[in-house]
Amino acid sequence: MASVPRALLGALAGRRDLAIEYQSRMTAIPALGPENGGEGEYARALYLESVLRGLGVPEIARADAPDSRVPSGIRPNIIARVPGASARTVWIMGHMDVVPPGERSQWTSDPWRVVVEGDVIRGRGVQDNQQAITGALLVAGELLTQEITPDLSLGLLFVSDEETGNAYGIEHVLAARPDLFGGEDLFLVPDYGAPDGSWVEVAEKGQLWLKITVEGRQCHASRPQEGKNALTAAAAMILGVADVAARFPETNGLFEPPSSTFVPSRHEENVPNINTLPGRDVFYVDCRLLPGVEHESVLAAFREVFGSVAARHGVGVAVDIAHLAPAAPATSPQSEIARRVLAGIREVYGVEARCIGVGGGTVAAPLRRAGFSAAVWASLPPTAHIADEYTLVSKILGDAQVMATLLFRGDGR
C-alpha cells in the first residue's frame, strides 16, 4: 500500500480560500426541505454538480427521489466517484439540506451569508453539514489536480432529506441503487463529533417514544370521590418508569450513559381550569435502547407496569408507540473503517481518538441496517441548529486531510 502523499496533505492544508468559497456559495442557496417551508435541495445540487464537473470528477450520477411538494418535483441525491487503484471505495457522505435559521433576532449576521472572522466561519449550515461536503470536494479536487491515484477509490455521496427523515435521501438511494455499493466499501459520515476530533461514533441506541393515555372520569374538584383522577394515576405511572428501567440493566461501555435510558418527557394539557378533576391525561416517555434490547420487550414491560398502576387507580391506560427507530447493528471498533479513521486522526491532529456510541440517531443508521461498515466522525463545535452557527476553517482543512488518509492507509493498523 502506498503511503499518504505529503504533497496531498500539504496542499489540503493550504486551501483556506477555496474552503471559504465552497461554504459561501452553499450557504447562499438555502436548501430547506418542504417540511421546513423550503423548496428542497435542487438548486444546491446543481451548484455542487457544477463544482464536480469543474474539478474533472469522471463519474457523476444522480438517484433522485420524486417529491411533488417541491417545485422541481425531485429531491436530488448526487453520486460521484474518483477511481483509485482498487474498485473498493471509501464513501464520504454529506447531506445537502439544512434547518431554518430560527429567530432572526438571535443572529448577529444574515444566516444565509457567510461571515469569516479569523478562523471562524459563520452561517446556517457551515457546520451541519457543509463542513463534510466541503472537505470531500477539497480531497477530490487535489487528487485530480495532482493526478494522484489513491489505493482505494473516493466516493462522494451528497444526499437530501437528512434533517427531516432520510426517506428522500440515503434510504431512497439504497432502495433505488442496490448495485451502487460493494460489500467491502467503507463509509465515513462526517455529521457528528467532538471539537477536537476525539470521538468516532460506531454505534447508536434505538429510539422508542411512547404515548401514554390515561382515561379516568372527570368531575368537580370539590367532589373527587365522584371521579377517577387521570392525573394522579399518570403521576404514579411516571414514577413507575423507574420500575421498567430496572428490568433492563444491560450496559455497554461504548455509550455515555452506558445503559438504556427511560425518560418521561412531554406532558399534554388536560383540563383548562383548576377546579375540575381531569378525566384524561396524556404524557410521553423517551426510551433510548442499547443494541440488543428489543423494543417489543420494553413495550410489554411498560404495558404490564402501567396496567398494574391503572388497576389500582381504577382507570384505563393505553401505551402506544409514537416513534420507533430500532438500533442499527453497531460498527465494530475493530472494523477497518474505524481503524482507518483513528489512524488518520492520529496522523493529522496528533489526537488519540476513541470509539463511542451515542443516544441519538445519525444518517449512518440506514447504511448499517443495509449491512455496511460506517463510522461517524468530524471535528465539530456544538453549533448545529443554533443561531450564529459556526465552525473553524482549520478544522475543515484538517478533516479533509483525515479523509484523504483513508484512501491510502492499508487497513488502518
Side-chain angles (χ1 to χ4, degrees):
M1 289 288 182
S3 60
V4 186
R6 297 295 99 187
L8 174 60
L9 298 185
L12 288 170
R15 292 305 183 194
R16 171 186 168 91
D17 290 346
L18 187 55
I20 293 171
E21 178 186 337
Y22 289 154
Q23 285 273 20
S24 299
R25 293 287 300 275
M26 281 189 282
T27 300
I29 309 171
L32 298 169
E35 297 90 340
N36 288 323
E39 297 185 350
E41 304 85 355
Y42 185 68
R44 182 170 291 192
L46 292 181
Y47 164 67
L48 291 172
E49 283 186 317
S50 72
V51 172
L52 292 168
R53 287 193 297 271
L55 294 175
V57 173
E59 300 176 19
I60 305 172
R62 291 248 294 268
D64 297 341
D67 189 348
S68 61
R69 300 172 300 167
V70 296
S72 64
I74 59 172
R75 308 293 291 280
N77 297 290
I78 299 173
I79 303 157
R81 194 166 169 274
V82 178
S86 169
R88 289 188 69 205
T89 302
V90 177
W91 293 94
I92 312 290
M93 183 166 71
H95 63 85
M96 296 183 286
D97 58 323
V98 298
V99 296
E103 178 53 56
R104 292 294 188 101
S105 65
Q106 300 297 308
W107 287 78
T108 58
S109 59
D110 181 349
W112 304 118
R113 183 183 180 196
V114 154
V115 173
V116 180
E117 298 172 342
D119 196 28
V120 173
I121 182 169
R122 184 169 68 246
R124 175 54 84 221
V126 295
Q127 188 260 50
D128 183 22
N129 187 233
Q130 292 165 199
Q131 180 164 329
I133 294 174
T134 299
L137 291 174
L138 292 174
V139 175
E142 287 305 323
L143 290 174
L144 293 164
T145 297
Q146 298 189 34
E147 299 182 343
I148 295 171
T149 300
D151 294 332
L152 302 184
S153 299
L154 170 66
L156 309 180
L157 191 58
F158 302 152
V159 299
S160 294
D161 192 35
E162 189 275 343
E163 297 291 1
T164 49
N166 296 313
Y168 299 90
I170 184 57
E171 291 181 358
H172 174 80
V173 174
L174 289 167
R177 292 291 309 275
D179 60 311
L180 182 61
F181 306 126
E184 293 187 344
D185 286 357
L186 305 173
F187 293 82
L188 175 67
V189 182
D191 198 22
Y192 178 82
D196 64 353
S198 61
W199 296 344
V200 179
E201 185 266 281
V202 295
E204 302 169 15
K205 293 179 181 178
Q207 300 171 33
L208 173 64
W209 299 350
L210 299 176
K211 178 181 180 180
I212 316 301
T213 305
V214 183
E215 298 285 359
R217 185 167 66 248
Q218 182 175 307
C219 70
H220 198 285
S222 67
R223 298 183 62 79
Q225 73 279 7
E226 296 178 356
K228 296 292 183 181
N229 194 325
L231 175 58
T232 301
M237 291 176 195
I238 290 171
L239 294 176
V241 170
D243 296 331
V244 175
R247 299 188 181 192
F248 300 94
E250 298 90 343
T251 60
N252 184 325
L254 280 176
F255 294 89
E256 176 58 38
S259 60
S260 298
T261 58
F262 306 83
V263 178
S265 54
R266 180 185 174 197
H267 183 269
E268 293 186 5
E269 182 180 5
N270 46 44
V271 293
N273 52 308
I274 296 173
N275 60 340
T276 294
L277 181 150
R280 187 174 191 268
D281 202 77
V282 179
F283 69 96
Y284 296 79
V285 182
D286 180 323
C287 309
R288 305 295 171 122
L289 308 180
L290 289 174
V293 176
E294 299 297 332
H295 75 271
E296 295 94 340
S297 300
V298 173
L299 183 61
F302 270 104
R303 286 174 173 163
E304 179 184 340
V305 170
F306 287 180
S308 177
V309 173
R312 292 199 304 271
H313 286 261
V315 300
V317 63
V319 180
D320 297 311
I321 296 175
H323 171 71
L324 174 63
T331 296
S332 169
Q334 284 75 49
S335 65
E336 183 178 352
I337 184 60
R339 293 197 306 269
R340 284 175 180 265
V341 174
L342 291 169
I345 298 166
R346 185 183 307 116
E347 178 167 349
V348 173
Y349 286 117
V351 170
E352 291 296 331
R354 62 189 177 94
C355 290
I356 66 165
V358 297
T362 76
V363 72
L367 293 167
R368 291 175 179 151
R369 292 192 186 102
F372 297 110
S373 185
V376 180
W377 172 85
S379 303
L380 298 174
T383 63
H385 296 208
I386 71 168
D388 279 352
E389 177 182 350
Y390 73 88
T391 191
L392 304 180
V393 179
S394 60
K395 294 300 185 181
I396 298 171
L397 303 179
D399 286 9
Q401 291 175 284
V402 174
M403 293 176 189
T405 70
L406 306 183
L407 305 170
F408 295 90
R409 170 175 300 285
D411 64 356
R413 293 180 186 273

